[in-house]
Amino acid sequence: MYVERYQNGDFILDSAELADRFGLSKDDLRRNFRKGLVTSMVERGEGEDAGTCRLSVKLGNRIWRAILNSEDRVVSEEMTFRRPDR
């Protein structure tokens, strides 16, 4: 996954690659973004994890997470599924 970081700290992900992670076309992913159905979060590592970041993107019950090293390269990623609330 290609990740770019702006000088202000914002991350930019390749939309085609992100869509692929969710099993969607780029158009379907964009449609979900426009509807406000996609959320994201950035967590910065502390202590022994200082310099790393965890990116999380959520769509429905699916959450894609990636760990970035200090050079903003993906060192691991996973797709998880959230159980519905009871």
Side-chain angles (χ1 to χ4, degrees):
M1 166 77 72
Y2 176 75
V3 178
E4 183 178 343
R5 189 192 302 215
Y6 285 140
Q7 286 182 338
N8 68 0
D10 289 347
F11 289 94
I12 303 298
L13 306 175
D14 182 275
S15 60
E17 289 186 67
L18 187 59
D20 186 58
R21 299 306 194 272
F22 284 95
L24 301 171
S25 69
K26 280 178 30 175
D27 289 337
D28 285 339
L29 181 65
R30 287 183 182 137
R31 205 172 357 269
N32 282 296
F33 267 107
R34 283 193 297 273
K35 290 180 180 180
L37 301 175
V38 180
T39 59
S40 62
M41 180 181 0
V42 176
E43 299 169 271
R44 304 212 186 279
E46 297 178 359
E48 66 183 45
D49 295 322
T52 64
C53 290
R54 178 170 50 197
L55 308 180
S56 300
V57 179
K58 181 181 172 200
L59 173 60
N61 70 335
R62 296 173 285 178
I63 304 169
W64 173 81
R65 288 190 181 98
I67 304 296
L68 306 181
N69 65 16
S70 60
E71 298 168 348
D72 297 333
R73 289 193 175 91
V74 175
V75 294
S76 70
E77 63 180 290
E78 69 178 358
M79 177 67 78
T80 59
F81 296 87
R82 187 173 160 254
R83 290 184 181 185
D85 295 333
R86 293 182 185 224

